[in-house]
Structures are given as C-alpha cells and as structure tokens.
Amino acid sequence: MTDTLPLSSLADALHRRRSVRAFTDRPVDPALLADVFATAQRAPSGGNLQPWQATVLTGEPWQAMKDAVAARIAMGREGQQAEYDIYPRGLTEPWDARRFGVGEALYASLGIPREDKRGRLAQFMHNYTGFGAPVMLFLHCSRIMGPPQWADMGMWLQSVMLLLVEQGLASCPQECWAMYGATVRATLGLGDDQILFSGLAIGYADEAAAVNQWPVPRADIEEAIDWRGFA
C-alpha cells in the first residue's frame, strides 16, 4: 500500500495487500501499469486460453463511466442490470457470518452505526467513484467462457494486485460494478458477447484514512484445509 517500505517476499506482498477504500489523487504512471500487466500475463491459464480482457480508464473516460453509472443508480432498483449473482442466494454459515462481520468492521472503522442507514448507503455509493482512485480497470471476458476460465481471471487479477503492491500501489477489487453491467459495457463500447466480471480501483492509498487501517480477519487454515496422510 505504500512506496516507502521495501518488499522482502511474496508473503510480504500478500500480507500487505488489502482492499483499499480511500485513495489519494496522485496520478499513476501508465508505463508502470504496462509493466505490471505484462508480468501478470504469466498468470496460469487452463489450456493457455488466457480469457482475461481488461479496459483501463483514467481522466475523462473514467469520469464518463462514473457519470453513466450514477445515472443508473439514480433510477433505484429499476436501474440495476446485474451480470450475475455476486453472492450466492440463500447464503448459509459460515459464509454469511463472514460477510456480515467484515461489513460491520468496515462501518465501525468509519464510525457509522448500524442504525445510520443513510450514512451506510452513502459509504456504499463511494464504490462507484472507485473510492477516489485515479485509475479504474474493468475485467471482462467472452460469454462463452465457463467457471474454469473465470478462475483464470481471478488468478490474473490476484497477480495484478500483488504486482501493484510491489510497485507501491494499492487496489480494490470491485464486483459491485457488475450490478450495472450493461451500462459499463455500453460505456466501454463492448458488445453483448462480453460479460463484465469486476472492476479494480488502482492508485496510491491514503494511509491516514481509518477505512484503510482496520484489521480484516481471515479464517484459520484448519477451517479451509483438510490434512490427510500427514504424520
């Protein structure tokens, strides 16, 4: 998240990467981004399909996207154009508790209590400004791609995020843009043969912002890993 602390290992990058929700207005060198994306092309891909495609915006094109989606948001629920279910319907434990818990911790870091519905909605709407990031990447692929290729896109996205950390940059993956997928695709000039997967806000983190400092919990490995055949 910072360009003042050197990385010592990949593990260091993984520990330091987080979804940043407050960026400075410092511009990002496009040559630096090009290097990151070129290196990320080494991400694994089944059958070497490399299904990921990305459109990267800054300046006027980025502002045009924010304006276009803001117009849909103003329409209320009728304006939504979900590309897919971001979370499974009928989410059960332990996943529902994890989702609820991280949301509560985020709002607590901002001092927004649960009963302040308006304040929470206003904070959520910051998603659609990229939290002030000067660069927004939209990740998309052909609609013919299936779950294995979506996994490939995730590995590419993770590679990009870790490489950004290495370069002193921060990011925030944002599937919320898929709630207005048709508008995003139309604004980008993408055909209906493409499906939007995610946005990725990119920039320099506002290190002083409380929303970038609260601890994000992770489940113990014993909840995720089933060890078999080990002494």
Side-chain angles (χ1 to χ4, degrees):
M1 284 170 48
T2 174
D3 53 357
T4 61
L5 296 176
L7 288 176
S8 60
S9 67
L10 176 59
D12 191 14
L14 276 164
H15 281 293
R16 283 167 49 183
R17 189 220 65 81
R18 67 178 293 145
S19 294
V20 163
R21 292 179 174 86
F23 292 84
T24 72
D25 61 0
R26 177 179 171 184
V28 179
D29 183 355
L32 187 156
L33 291 177
D35 287 344
V36 165
F37 299 144
T39 303
Q41 287 298 107
R42 300 304 306 172
S45 171
N48 202 32
L49 267 62
Q50 304 171 67
W52 50 81
Q53 294 177 271
T55 304
V56 187
L57 308 180
T58 195
E60 292 184 4
W62 176 208
Q63 185 60 52
M65 178 64 74
K66 288 184 278 189
D67 292 343
V69 171
R72 296 295 302 189
I73 292 172
M75 297 170 63
R77 290 188 179 275
E78 292 183 0
Q80 295 182 4
Q81 312 148 308
E83 295 279 77
Y84 56 87
D85 290 333
I86 294 176
Y87 299 106
R89 299 183 184 185
L91 196 63
T92 57
E93 300 302 343
W95 308 287
D96 189 51
R98 291 174 186 171
R99 181 187 175 195
F100 178 81
V102 77
E104 288 300 299
L106 186 157
Y107 291 120
S109 75
L110 294 165
I112 305 175
R114 187 183 304 179
E115 58 271 17
D116 185 1
K117 304 298 184 183
R118 185 170 297 179
R120 290 191 170 204
L121 178 60
Q123 172 59 30
F124 179 76
M125 288 300 104
H126 288 322
N127 274 284
Y128 298 103
T129 67
F131 301 109
V135 175
M136 177 60 69
L137 178 152
F138 288 103
L139 182 58
H140 47 93
C141 71
S142 169
R143 286 189 185 273
I144 69 172
M145 299 300 173
Q149 290 75 51
W150 280 57
D152 291 348
M153 284 198 292
M155 288 187 282
W156 181 85
L157 194 62
Q158 172 79 322
S159 299
V160 167
M161 289 188 287
L162 294 178
L163 290 164
L164 289 170
V165 171
E166 185 180 47
Q167 295 296 332
L169 285 156
S171 64
C172 184
Q174 295 183 280
E175 293 170 331
C176 64
W177 290 94
M179 292 173 63
Y180 301 95
T183 293
V184 172
R185 286 187 284 105
T187 307
L188 296 178
L190 302 177
D192 288 339
D193 61 320
Q194 292 281 302
I195 185 168
L196 176 67
F197 172 34
S198 179
L200 182 71
I202 300 172
Y204 292 92
D206 180 350
E207 301 286 356
V211 74
N212 290 335
Q213 298 176 9
W214 57 278
V216 182
R218 286 293 188 265
D220 187 84
I221 65 167
E222 298 302 331
E223 295 185 46
I225 309 299
D226 180 9
W227 301 91
R228 300 187 183 189
F230 292 86

